[in-house]
Amino acid sequence: MDILIAVPETSQPSTLRAVIAALRSQKLEVTHDHKNWGDWIRIDGCETVISIEVAHGLTSSATIEFCEDDSEDILPAVYRAFDQIGWIGIDEDGEYQLV
């Protein structure tokens, strides 16, 4: 299941460091993996990954690629982390609060 999240249009982009710090504040062990085709945040012990668009250290959108085999506790922790830095969810009905 893919979940689109982003900074609201009226807000400034976040730094990648702020995103990583927010995830770690939720007790998630994460690593940033930079490849030629994109940036990924991997959560240790999980198949769930976050595909994140980064330009010059700043980011304003990402896709959580949630693996149904992972613990159901992972997704709420990821939502809390992104909510902490002011991000929102986006689906076919528009924007929504993550927590």
Side-chain angles (χ1 to χ4, degrees), residues 69-88:
D69 293 336
D70 285 341
S71 166
E72 291 186 18
D73 296 336
I74 295 300
L75 198 52
V78 172
Y79 279 176
R80 285 190 305 270
F82 279 97
D83 181 70
Q84 176 182 323
I85 57 174
W87 287 44
I88 56 170

Side-chain angles (χ1 to χ4, degrees), residues 1-90:
M1 169 173 66
D2 290 351
I3 303 153
L4 180 61
I5 56 175
V7 174
E9 289 183 22
T10 58
S11 298
Q12 296 294 320
S14 300
T15 65
L16 180 58
R17 286 183 187 209
V19 170
I20 298 290
L23 290 163
R24 288 183 176 153
S25 77
Q26 295 299 314
K27 310 284 190 265
L28 297 170
E29 296 295 324
V30 297
T31 55
H32 172 231
D33 189 10
H34 174 73
K35 301 286 185 190
N36 290 339
W37 61 88
D39 290 82
W40 300 86
I41 297 174
R42 301 196 183 280
I43 303 168
D44 289 354
C46 297
E47 294 296 317
T48 296
V49 295
I50 302 167
S51 170
I52 191 161
E53 295 182 29
V54 180
H56 307 290
L58 298 175
T59 181
S60 59
S61 67
T63 302
I64 303 166
E65 297 180 16
F66 179 69
C67 177
E68 306 267 336
D69 293 336
D70 285 341
S71 166
E72 291 186 18
D73 296 336
I74 295 300
L75 198 52
V78 172
Y79 279 176
R80 285 190 305 270
F82 279 97
D83 181 70
Q84 176 182 323
I85 57 174
W87 287 44
I88 56 170
I90 302 172

